[in-house]
């Protein structure tokens, strides 16, 4: 039989190990003076390669501001999206600033220190489409980026880990959904013509507007917002100090208007709050 003395010693030992591990990633960032961020370079205007062959975009500017407030440099890497969302990063990067939605399923394997902006999703069609109501897309061929909230919408499994956005209304259904590996795939197929490959897409309004600025012949079906997507910083499980610090920094960036300024820079509208 194990004595109470030994049980107490074991408990203290576990508590010590937990305390030693707490803040390990934050300690590494501060000691190395480098913050490694996993993000995307193929998702304008969130992240993309600019004319100078440098990674640029809204998420990039947000990352740089976080690093500035931590007093460190920032390094960007661009692993596949499904690798980032799988968790268990094992120190390959310190955080993800890649416009990730804090869903309930992801919250089981990742931590979400803070939401830094909210983007509305809309249905879009080719400019030659006669559709004027998004509900007319029921049973049509619709393109979405695979592994994202747009795909979850059609399986009616969009469980967002926050209460500060309006509830989702599932008023479009289809058995003809086409999934793509990236956010630009649905846009590229829809631009080929109305009904050529797709009848419509479900995408972020910001992504649609960026494509339209590049002369994609697309438009939002109507003014209806399908759902708001709260987009958050993500960290691996097990570092409460890093989570608290990032929450503090993002909170300050909301309060002092930095996120409003960056949103207006990249989107021409303030997505830092739900409007």
């Amino acid at each position: 039989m194990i004595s109470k003395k030994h049980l107490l010693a074991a408990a203290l030992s576990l508590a010590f190990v937990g305390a030693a591990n707490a803040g390990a990633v934050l300690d590494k960032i501060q000691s190395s003076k480098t913050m490694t961020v996993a993000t995307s370079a193929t998702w304008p205007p969130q992240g993309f390669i600019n004319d100078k062959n440098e990674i640029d975009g809204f998420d990039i500017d947000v990352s740089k501001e976080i690093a500035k407030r931590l007093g460190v440099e920032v390094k960007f890497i661009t692993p596949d999206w499904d690798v980032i969302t799988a968790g268990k990063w094992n120190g390959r990067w310190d955080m993800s600033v890649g416009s990730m939605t804090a869903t309930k399923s992801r919250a089981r394997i990742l931590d979400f220190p803070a939401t830094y902006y909210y983007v509305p999703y809309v249905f879009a069609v080719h400019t030659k489409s006669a559709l004027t109501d998004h509900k007319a897309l029921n049973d049509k061929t619709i393109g979405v980026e695979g592994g994202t909230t747009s795909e979850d919408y059609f399986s009616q499994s969009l469980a967002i880990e926050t209460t500060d956005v309006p509830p989702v209304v599932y008023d479009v259904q289809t058995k003809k959904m086409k999934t793509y590996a990236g956010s630009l795939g649905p846009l590229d197929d829809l631009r080929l013509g109305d009904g050529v490959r797709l009848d419509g897409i479900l995408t972020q309004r910001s992504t649609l507007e960026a494509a339209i600025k590049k002369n994609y012949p697309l438009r939002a079906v109507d003014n209806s917002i399908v759902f708001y997507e709260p987009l958050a910083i993500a960290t691996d499980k097990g570092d409460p100090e890093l989570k608290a610090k990032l929450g503090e920094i993002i909170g300050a960036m909301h309060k002092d208007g930095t996120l409003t300024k960056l949103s207006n820079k990249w989107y021409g509208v303030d997505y830092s709050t739900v409007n």
Side-chain angles (χ1 to χ4, degrees):
M1 180 179 293
I2 301 175
S3 68
K4 290 183 179 180
K5 180 178 179 180
H6 284 95
L7 286 172
L8 178 60
L12 288 172
S13 176
L14 286 172
F16 176 78
V17 169
N21 287 337
V25 179
L26 181 58
D27 287 346
K28 185 191 76 171
I29 292 171
Q30 293 174 331
S31 62
S32 67
K33 297 297 181 182
T34 302
M35 182 182 88
T36 303
V37 174
T39 191
S40 172
T42 58
W43 193 14
Q46 289 87 340
F48 62 97
I49 302 300
N50 63 23
D51 295 338
K52 297 179 181 179
N53 202 34
E54 299 171 338
I55 194 165
D56 204 356
F58 175 70
D59 284 339
I60 309 309
D61 278 357
V62 171
S63 301
K64 289 177 179 178
E65 183 64 24
I66 294 171
K68 177 182 175 182
R69 296 185 186 214
L70 281 172
V72 300
E73 299 295 320
V74 62
K75 173 185 175 184
F76 295 102
I77 60 172
T78 56
D80 289 342
W81 181 247
D82 56 355
V83 175
I84 298 174
T85 57
K88 296 182 179 179
W89 299 341
N90 296 318
R92 288 171 289 174
W93 51 86
D94 303 318
M95 67 192 72
S96 171
V97 186
S99 299
M100 188 184 298
T101 310
T103 62
K104 292 181 179 179
S105 60
R106 288 173 180 164
R108 289 195 289 266
I109 54 178
L110 294 170
D111 281 335
F112 295 98
T115 298
Y116 59 111
Y117 74 120
Y118 306 78
V119 172
Y121 266 67
V122 297
F123 283 104
V125 294
H126 194 275
T127 52
K128 292 186 177 180
S129 172
L131 296 184
T132 57
D133 185 343
H134 72 278
K135 294 178 185 177
L137 283 168
N138 271 286
D139 296 323
K140 299 290 187 181
T141 303
I142 301 174
V144 300
E145 181 181 2
T148 67
T149 48
S150 55
E151 182 178 11
D152 291 342
Y153 174 85
F154 288 106
S155 62
Q156 298 191 10
S157 60
L158 186 55
I160 295 174
E161 184 76 351
T162 184
T163 58
D164 58 354
V165 294
V168 181
V169 177
Y170 299 101
D171 56 4
V172 175
Q173 299 179 28
T174 183
K175 294 181 180 178
K176 302 174 184 177
M177 181 178 67
K178 291 182 66 176
T179 59
Y180 296 78
S183 62
L184 297 181
L187 298 164
D188 287 335
D189 267 7
L190 186 58
R191 75 186 296 194
L192 297 176
D194 179 35
V196 174
R197 292 184 179 174
L198 296 172
D199 298 307
I201 61 175
L202 177 58
T203 186
Q204 287 187 343
R205 188 164 70 188
S206 55
T207 302
L208 173 64
E209 289 172 349
I212 292 172
K213 287 180 180 178
K214 292 186 176 182
N215 298 316
Y216 278 56
L218 311 176
R219 62 174 175 83
V221 178
D222 49 31
N223 293 322
S224 297
I225 293 172
V226 184
F227 60 88
Y228 274 96
E229 186 176 49
L231 301 163
I233 307 295
T235 61
D236 218 350
K237 289 286 188 182
D239 200 315
E241 289 184 11
L242 176 62
K243 182 179 180 181
K245 188 63 178 178
L246 290 175
E248 175 190 321
I249 289 173
I250 294 300
M253 289 171 66
H254 275 293
K255 188 175 181 179
D256 65 21
T258 299
L259 288 169
T260 295
K261 181 180 178 180
L262 291 177
S263 181
N264 283 324
K265 171 186 175 181
W266 288 104
Y267 301 117
V269 65
D270 184 9
Y271 284 144
S272 68
T273 61
V274 175
N275 298 312

